[in-house]
Amino acid sequence: MYDFRKSVVYQIYPKSFCDTNGDGLGDLRGVTAKLDYLKTLGVDYIWMTPFFVSPQRDNGYDVADYRNIDPRFGTMEDFETLCREAKARDIRVMLDMVFNHTSTEHEWFQKALAGDPKYENYYIWKDGDPDTPPNNWQSKFGGSTWEYAPQVGKYYLHLFNKTQADLNWENPEVREEVYKNINWWLDRGLSGFRIDAIINIKKKLPYKDYPADRSDGLSCVDHMLADAQGVGEFLGEMRDRGFASHEAFTVGEVFNEKDEELPDFIGDGGYFSSIFNFSTNVWGGSDKGWYDCKRITPDAYKKCYFDAQKKIGDHGFYSNIIENHDQPRGVSYYIPEGDVCLESKKMLAALYFLMRGLPFIYQGQEIGMENLPVIPIEQVDDISALDQYQVALDAGFTSEEALKIISLRNRDNARTPVQWSAEKNAGFTQGTPWLIVNPNYTKINVASQEQDGNSVLAFYKELIALRKNPDYKETFVYGDVIPFEESRHNLMAYHRKGEKDLLVLGNFQKETQEVTLPSKCKNILLNNYPNVEIEGTQVTLKGYQVF
Ligand code: TEU
Ligand code: CA
């Protein structure tokens, strides 16, 4: 069986990846067209976010048909070509499955609205008078979790946008549908899945009010989810009935799992092959933090990583990320403002990439793409940012303040088209791009970095090659993480100990820093400054230097 632990995964947000027919939207053929690029980079898996039939309110996370491809992305034939071409390059394909909810345009929901009791029971309903939602739960994107459906005369539950109705996992027929869909895709030769928002499938009954603001920082709906017992039964069943027959590789989007449950989630016999390490993301999976969205300090970042490693121990492998399609660009969020530069981007890359776990690279990360400047509200696409903008206006903020509030968490930051070249629209499309292209594309793009041995892209290639180097692979993949000088301010350093003892040292500040190595350094495998030589054990690390 293929050992997924040695893999590097590349996340593709197809809508913003590459457009081949000039309609301004990335498509499946665009992914196929870039497979050689991905092969040269050295990735083993591509995870593609949803491209199923969808009204695209949440860019495909509102699925209206699990088995058909949205024509805007292409056809089933395009998908088969993509899989075949990926296989020819030894790249495995993962899909993104959204089973916490469906689009309200899904046939099941439409049948429920039309009064079919079978399908009504696919969703979660509550009686109530049209003007007063059943309780105080606030959806993750802002506003009540309850939406009144006059056709049925009841409220339905939605943890995300009101066009994303939560499925009733307590109903065995719903679970059956889920497993059928998983197997249907696996039969098409897929290697695995990323499973969306899966920790949310278990709700706490009865549906009562929760304190809206708690000292632990959880919102009422997060608190309800944390209180819900028994999600494991659903997840175990999904593993056995869904993933097991094809030994699929699975990564769960799991937030705030309880510590004692971690061994059940991953590792041998776990619900998933791996789960994401979201520990450095200060707002976690919470809908809180739009108003007080803070940056994380280098010391807090380091602590999150080391704590996560301690927590997971030998239980399994995290999937490590610095960004994804829901988060700010890592370099714009983790590196202090004003310090974002070539060296700091490379440092951030090396520190997370060489940790124990599977490194995930989100499209554009490998060239150091950055957040958008603040854009006018008319140009904002992200549905969560728009919902939260409304919440801010309702709370009495001016439109200018509301715009500022949403700008760091606006998910458009990471969703702007991939910057392939300095040509028009960054080479993403011949047409009009669906979302604004980051104006910095003339400086940050793939074409120029491919010509530059000192680029962020060249550094990512080095990182991937290093992790696969036969001499170091065993240590970088399976070796332990042992912090070095853990309490030292703005130094993030650790040993990877396995067959070899490798030390990763990162100076997380622009000022230089003196370090005494534990022993004489034999060989520098990688560094972000040219011509580094170390004589004895005394080293002066330059600003954001890593090696
Ligand atoms: O995100 C799950 C989730 O919990 C989000 O609230 C996430 O924390 C938030 O977007 C961060 O700002 C998943 C998908 O990754 C996301 O794109 C979808 O919008 C969401 O599920 C609903 O399907
Ligand atoms: Ca297109």
Side-chain angles (χ1 to χ4, degrees):
M1 198 189 153
Y2 179 74
D3 184 1
F4 69 85
R5 293 174 297 182
K6 60 184 191 189
S7 306
V8 176
V9 185
Y10 188 92
Q11 182 192 349
I12 294 178
Y13 199 70
K15 201 168 178 178
S16 297
F17 191 64
C18 174
D19 175 28
T20 57
N21 65 350
D23 66 355
L25 302 166
D27 40 53
L28 294 177
R29 288 183 182 199
V31 179
T32 307
K34 297 293 184 188
L35 284 172
D36 283 334
Y37 168 75
L38 297 172
K39 184 66 196 167
T40 310
L41 192 58
V43 304
D44 304 288
Y45 279 97
I46 50 174
W47 145 33
M48 283 189 290
T49 63
F51 48 77
F52 313 108
V53 171
S54 158
Q56 299 285 328
R57 293 294 308 270
D58 191 17
N59 289 331
Y61 284 95
D62 43 338
V63 180
D65 179 347
Y66 288 104
R67 298 202 188 167
N68 281 298
I69 293 171
D70 192 312
R72 282 169 279 200
F73 290 115
T75 62
M76 195 57 87
E77 208 188 321
D78 293 335
F79 179 68
E80 280 158 9
T81 307
L82 166 58
C83 289
R84 206 173 44 243
E85 292 296 321
K87 194 163 182 201
R89 290 165 180 79
D90 208 19
I91 294 175
R92 295 172 157 77
V93 178
M94 291 164 74
L95 292 193
D96 195 326
M97 298 314 249
V98 190
F99 292 132
N100 175 68
H101 46 267
T102 71
S103 163
T104 48
E105 290 186 20
H106 195 288
E107 187 186 15
W108 301 336
F109 193 80
Q110 289 299 316
K111 285 185 175 164
L113 286 184
D116 185 333
K118 173 180 158 81
Y119 291 100
E120 193 179 313
N121 198 25
Y122 273 36
Y123 296 90
I124 300 169
W125 302 89
K126 190 107 176 71
D127 292 325
D129 114 63
D131 300 320
T132 331
N135 62 29
N136 70 345
W137 298 0
Q138 296 297 299
S139 75
K140 288 181 173 288
F141 292 170
S144 173
T145 55
W146 297 100
E147 181 70 13
Y148 191 72
Q151 302 94 319
V152 185
K154 286 183 196 166
Y155 282 88
Y156 65 88
L157 182 79
H158 61 91
L159 294 189
F160 295 92
N161 182 255
K162 64 177 179 199
T163 64
Q164 295 165 298
D166 280 50
L167 283 165
N168 176 15
W169 273 72
E170 306 295 330
N171 177 356
E173 286 180 275
V174 166
R175 306 206 295 274
E176 217 45 54
E177 301 268 16
V178 167
Y179 311 145
K180 269 197 268 172
N181 283 319
I182 291 174
N183 281 295
W184 191 86
W185 280 105
L186 283 174
D187 289 341
R188 263 148 198 83
L190 287 175
S191 299
F193 301 108
R194 176 262 192 188
I195 327 283
D196 185 66
I198 197 65
I199 197 71
N200 300 335
I201 58 177
K202 187 81 187 181
K203 277 81 177 176
K204 166 96 173 143
L205 297 161
Y207 305 124
K208 58 166 195 193
D209 278 357
Y210 273 91
D213 240 315
R214 298 177 52 105
S215 52
D216 55 16
L218 293 180
S219 72
C220 55
V221 80
D222 288 327
H223 209 271
M224 173 282 286
L225 291 167
D227 268 6
Q229 297 289 324
V231 71
E233 279 159 42
F234 294 157
L235 299 179
E237 192 182 84
M238 178 166 64
R239 172 199 56 209
D240 297 341
R241 302 284 316 285
F243 312 137
S245 63
H246 293 73
E247 294 182 334
F249 168 58
T250 55
V251 184
E253 194 200 20
V254 173
F255 290 103
N256 307 324
E257 74 283 356
K258 300 177 181 83
D259 286 7
E260 66 280 10
E261 282 175 2
L262 193 62
D264 299 334
F265 274 77
I266 50 173
D268 290 339
Y271 307 135
F272 303 105
S273 312
S274 177
I275 59 175
F276 290 106
N277 170 17
F278 287 123
S279 63
T280 57
N281 178 269
V282 282
W283 58 82
S286 165
D287 50 309
K288 296 283 290 178
W290 282 83
Y291 292 84
D292 54 357
C293 189
K294 288 187 203 70
R295 285 169 173 278
I296 181 170
T297 63
D299 287 342
Y301 181 81
K302 165 173 73 176
K303 186 173 183 327
C304 287
Y305 254 103
F306 289 162
D307 285 354
Q309 286 296 330
K310 276 174 211 148
K311 184 170 147 182
I312 200 163
D314 289 331
H315 294 314
F317 276 63
Y318 272 125
S319 291
N320 293 322
I321 60 166
I322 59 168
E323 63 199 51
N324 65 24
H325 64 291
D326 292 332
Q327 322 258 333
R329 287 289 182 178
V331 295
S332 302
Y333 183 60
Y334 296 118
I335 299 170
E337 258 177 310
D339 287 1
V340 181
C341 61
L342 189 62
E343 286 76 25
S344 58
K345 286 180 178 182
K346 291 180 181 177
M347 180 215 64
L348 191 70
L351 289 179
Y352 100 99
F353 197 94
L354 299 173
M355 271 282 166
R356 190 168 182 273
L358 283 86
F360 274 55
I361 300 171
Y362 174 66
Q363 64 183 40
Q365 178 188 323
E366 75 277 19
I367 55 166
M369 279 180 64
E370 298 171 7
N371 277 358
L372 276 170
V374 178
I375 53 172
I377 192 70
E378 300 74 44
Q379 286 185 29
V380 173
D381 171 82
D382 170 24
I383 196 164
S384 70
L386 291 171
D387 283 356
Q388 292 290 351
Y389 179 77
Q390 194 52 50
V391 171
L393 290 184
D394 294 346
F397 288 96
T398 66
S399 48
E400 207 179 314
E401 288 163 341
L403 197 60
K404 204 153 174 278
I405 285 171
I406 62 162
S407 64
L408 183 58
R409 277 193 68 177
N410 176 5
R411 299 184 300 175
D412 295 339
N413 279 318
R415 297 177 178 184
T416 60
V418 171
Q419 295 162 206
W420 294 106
S421 72
E423 280 160 37
K424 192 172 163 239
N425 301 322
F428 161 71
T429 178
Q430 297 295 324
T432 308
W434 73 278
L435 183 66
I436 179 177
V437 174
N438 193 316
N440 66 17
Y441 74 93
T442 49
K443 286 197 214 86
I444 301 175
N445 63 67
V446 172
S448 66
Q449 295 197 16
E450 278 178 332
Q451 307 304 317
D452 175 5
N454 196 31
S455 63
V456 179
L457 179 62
F459 193 76
Y460 268 94
K461 284 185 191 164
E462 273 184 66
L463 276 170
I464 297 174
L466 180 60
R467 197 174 186 270
K468 291 178 188 256
N469 181 319
D471 289 340
Y472 306 108
K473 190 165 81 181
E474 194 277 344
T475 306
F476 276 128
V477 175
Y478 308 103
D480 292 332
V481 174
I482 300 172
F484 171 71
E485 295 246 15
E486 195 173 351
S487 55
R488 176 80 86 88
H489 178 54
N490 286 355
L491 180 80
M492 181 161 165
Y494 52 89
H495 294 264
R496 293 300 310 276
K497 272 194 182 153
E499 266 174 10
K500 295 203 161 45
D501 182 354
L502 306 168
L503 181 64
V504 182
L505 274 177
N507 179 20
F508 216 132
Q509 61 180 19
K510 60 173 177 291
E511 297 77 23
T512 59
Q513 180 158 197
E514 300 284 328
V515 182
T516 310
L517 300 179
S519 60
K520 221 172 147 243
C521 170
K522 293 201 198 82
N523 195 0
I524 297 179
L525 300 176
L526 177 104
N527 72 77
N528 62 345
Y529 277 86
N531 309 323
V532 180
E533 273 174 43
I534 301 178
E535 286 298 320
T537 54
Q538 209 54 34
V539 187
T540 305
L541 293 171
K542 300 196 177 85
Y544 291 105
Q545 185 161 21
V546 73
F547 57 76

